[in-house]
Amino acid sequence: MTWVLNNLPAIGSYLIAHVSQAVPAILATLVLGIPIARLTQRLGPLRGVLVSGASLLYAIPSLALFVILPVVLGTGIRDTINVVVALTLYGLALLVPTTVDALDAVDQRVLDAATAMGMGPLRRFATVELPLAGPAIVAGLRVVTVSTVSLTTVGAVLGVRSLGWLFTDGYQRGITAEILAGILATALLAVALDGLVVLGGRALLQWARPTRLREGAMA
């Protein structure tokens, strides 16, 4: 506890660096994941290949990807952009298959009714399909959020500042309190960001909450 109190400014600095890498990756995953999932859903024969490929992407070791990306992007190995891009790729590997399944689960009769009302494909997707698939997408985004916060720590092995720095520095110097502080701070950040995702989902999908309550009452 004494070590933590004496090093609060450093911990805060690592926390800010961690957030600056994890949050952009999570947002990029959401912004890119939905249109990619929609495109994948519409590609027919190539759909299985793309969904499987997205899932296999997550099997690539994170440290290896962090090392390869600077070569591909032409950046320095310690640039935070490498971490953000890598985290976004891993996030897409999780979110795209989930979103495709969520869009597939929308009742075809509802889509037919929307079309009969004169809705075009884009409007139908934005006002019917996406809201109905929303709860499942939010659930997938929660997984992405927690995973991203965890994977961000790997960049510390390459010298990229984050809460993972507390792991590597604490291990090298034999300071158990520093390692535990890094673990606790990472876990708390994951819980906090997950909570924000839940709140955002509830705000955007208010219709889903009473539906679940009604279903529970009927049961």
Side-chain angles (χ1 to χ4, degrees):
M1 188 65 179
T2 302
W3 185 93
V4 173
L5 293 176
N6 291 336
N7 292 273
L8 282 178
I11 296 174
S13 174
Y14 294 139
L15 175 61
I16 293 173
H18 199 107
V19 170
S20 69
Q21 296 166 52
V23 171
I26 294 169
L27 294 176
T29 297
L30 178 61
V31 171
L32 296 174
I34 292 176
I36 291 175
R38 179 61 169 180
L39 180 62
T40 301
Q41 186 192 28
R42 296 295 182 182
L43 284 182
L46 294 178
R47 170 180 169 171
V49 176
L50 292 175
V51 172
S52 299
S55 299
L56 288 174
L57 177 62
Y58 201 79
I60 299 176
S62 55
L63 186 58
L65 187 58
F66 288 170
V67 172
I68 293 172
L69 278 176
V71 178
V72 177
L73 300 175
T75 55
I77 195 168
R78 294 187 178 182
D79 286 353
T80 57
I81 187 64
N82 301 322
V83 177
V84 174
V85 171
L87 294 175
T88 302
L89 291 175
Y90 282 126
L92 290 173
L94 292 173
L95 190 62
V96 169
T98 300
T99 304
V100 171
D101 290 340
L103 293 173
D104 283 343
V106 177
D107 195 328
Q108 184 60 45
R109 292 171 298 180
V110 175
L111 301 181
D112 292 340
T115 301
M117 293 173 62
M119 292 187 183
L122 183 59
R123 182 184 175 192
R124 188 182 71 175
F125 176 71
T127 61
V128 178
E129 294 180 69
L130 197 54
L132 290 176
I137 295 174
V138 170
L141 185 61
R142 293 182 65 186
V143 176
V144 169
T145 298
V146 175
S147 174
T148 299
V149 171
S150 176
L151 285 173
T152 304
T153 61
V154 178
V157 178
L158 301 176
V160 181
R161 291 168 60 87
S162 70
L163 290 172
W165 196 280
L166 298 174
F167 304 162
T168 57
D169 185 68
Y171 176 76
Q172 292 171 356
R173 299 168 60 190
I175 304 177
T176 303
E178 185 175 7
I179 299 173
L180 293 177
I183 294 173
L184 181 60
T186 302
L188 290 176
L189 177 60
V191 171
L193 292 181
D194 177 64
L196 289 177
V197 172
V198 171
L199 292 176
R202 288 178 178 176
L204 293 174
L205 304 170
Q206 295 183 13
W207 59 269
R209 296 176 62 192
T211 298
R212 287 197 294 269
L213 290 174
R214 287 196 298 269
E215 290 175 352
M218 293 176 63

